[in-house]
């Protein structure tokens, strides 16, 4: 089965706290692609990062970092020193190499950052 | 640079009325195109995708249909709306490959069926 699980429905933090959003995926494919998207209150999804299954290097972009671990089928997203502007719904997504063009999205995690 | 447009931004339609949502992409050729629906507080459901003009794949049986009359134009339609069609409709494009690339989303259309 192809599946993405974001177990955290909502997270609330105070500004400047670090927060990690969890993502666990399932796929039988050996080649696949993982993504994170941000959906601010305006509604438009914004692409954040893409990882290939054969590249397990973690990535850091400013206050954002991603931890990809194939051994646990996880692709977690950490925001360091969170800010109010980080408040949004964050989606983790999986595109298996087979199955055509279907990308499977997780249910999303709503992050509230309070001032 | 590439841009994606969707219209209208909001729409209120009575049950049984027709629907036409349009999506256009600029600045790229032969994109993959997608229609998603997002119910309130829920994740994204893929409705249709297209890899070329006239090539449409449907993911979910329903009373919606999609067409791609031009390379960068994607239209979502219905002959008779149902209450359950209410939601936030998002169009997206990606580079023409087997899903290996990220998708870029339009601003969305919020549809309320009354």
């Amino acid at each position: 089965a192809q599946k993405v699980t974001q177990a955290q429905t909502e997270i609330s933090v105070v500004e400047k706290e670090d927060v990690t959003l969890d993502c666990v995926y399932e796929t039988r494919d050996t080649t696949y692609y993982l993504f994170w998207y941000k959906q601010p209150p305006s509604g438009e999804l914004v692409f954040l990062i893409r990882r290939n299954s054969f590249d397990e290097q973690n990535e850091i972009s400013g206050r954002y970092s991603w931890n990809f671990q194939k051994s646990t089928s996880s692709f977690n997203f950490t925001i360091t020193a969170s800010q109010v502007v980080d408040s949004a719904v964050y989606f983790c997504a999986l595109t298996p190499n087979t199955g055509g063009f279907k990308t499977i999205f997780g249910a999303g995690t709503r992050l509230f950052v309070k001032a | 640079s590439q841009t994606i447009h969707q219209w209208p931004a909001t729409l209120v339609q009575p049950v049984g009325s027709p629907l036409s949502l349009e999506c256009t992409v600029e600045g790229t050729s032969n994109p993959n195109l997608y229609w998603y629906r997002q119910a309130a507080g829920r994740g994204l459901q893929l409705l249709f995708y297209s890899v070329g003009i006239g090539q449409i794949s449907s993911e979910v049986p329903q009373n919606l249909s999609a067409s791609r009359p031009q390379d960068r134009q994607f239209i979502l339609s219905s002959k008779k709306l149902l209450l359950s069609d209410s939601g936030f409709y998002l169009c997206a494009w990606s580079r023409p490959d087997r899903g290996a690339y990220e998708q870029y989303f339009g601003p969305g259309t919020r549809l309320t069926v009354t």
Side-chain angles (χ1 to χ4, degrees), chain B residues 34-86:
Chain B
Y34 310 81
W35 277 113
Y36 290 89
R37 177 169 60 200
Q38 184 178 27
R42 305 283 296 276
L44 275 73
Q45 178 187 36
L46 178 64
L47 301 176
F48 301 94
Y49 65 85
S50 171
V51 301
I53 296 175
Q55 301 179 62
I56 309 293
S57 295
S58 173
E59 284 296 307
V60 181
Q62 58 216 331
N63 67 320
L64 299 173
S65 62
S67 62
R68 185 171 176 172
Q70 300 181 45
D71 181 44
R72 289 168 288 180
Q73 184 184 28
F74 205 22
I75 296 172
L76 182 69
S77 304
S78 174
K79 293 182 179 177
K80 286 186 178 181
L81 283 169
L82 307 172
L83 283 174
S84 58
D85 291 323
S86 292

Side-chain angles (χ1 to χ4, degrees), chain A residues 33 35 37 39 41-47 49-50 52 89 91 95-103 105-108 110, chain B residues 4 32 34 36 38 41-44 46 49 51 59 88 90 95-108 110:
Chain A
Y33 308 88
F35 307 85
Y37 292 87
Q39 186 177 37
S42 61
E44 181 177 337
L45 269 79
V46 177
F47 163 72
I49 190 171
R50 169 175 62 97
N52 306 325
V89 181
F91 291 96
T95 302
N97 201 41
T98 56
F101 295 83
K102 184 172 181 178
T103 296
F105 282 80
R110 185 176 296 275
Chain B
I4 178 169
N32 294 339
Y34 310 81
Y36 290 89
Q38 184 178 27
R42 305 283 296 276
L44 275 73
L46 178 64
Y49 65 85
V51 301
E59 284 296 307
F88 189 50
L90 288 156
R95 288 165 59 181
D97 196 346
R98 293 191 60 194
Y101 294 103
E102 60 274 13
Q103 295 175 33
Y104 294 94
F105 288 80
R110 201 163 298 279

Side-chain angles (χ1 to χ4, degrees), chain A residues 10 12 30 39 53 57-58 74 80 87 108 112:
Chain A
E10 290 187 0
S12 184
T30 55
Q39 186 177 37
S53 55
Q57 272 193 341
N58 292 327
S74 65
T80 303
S87 296
F112 294 98

Side-chain angles (χ1 to χ4, degrees), chain A residues 15-32:
Chain A
E15 211 170 17
K16 298 185 183 176
E17 283 185 18
D18 298 348
V19 58
T20 295
L21 309 182
D22 297 332
C23 173
V24 174
Y25 62 92
E26 293 178 34
T27 180
R28 283 190 290 269
D29 288 33
T30 55
T31 300
Y32 51 88

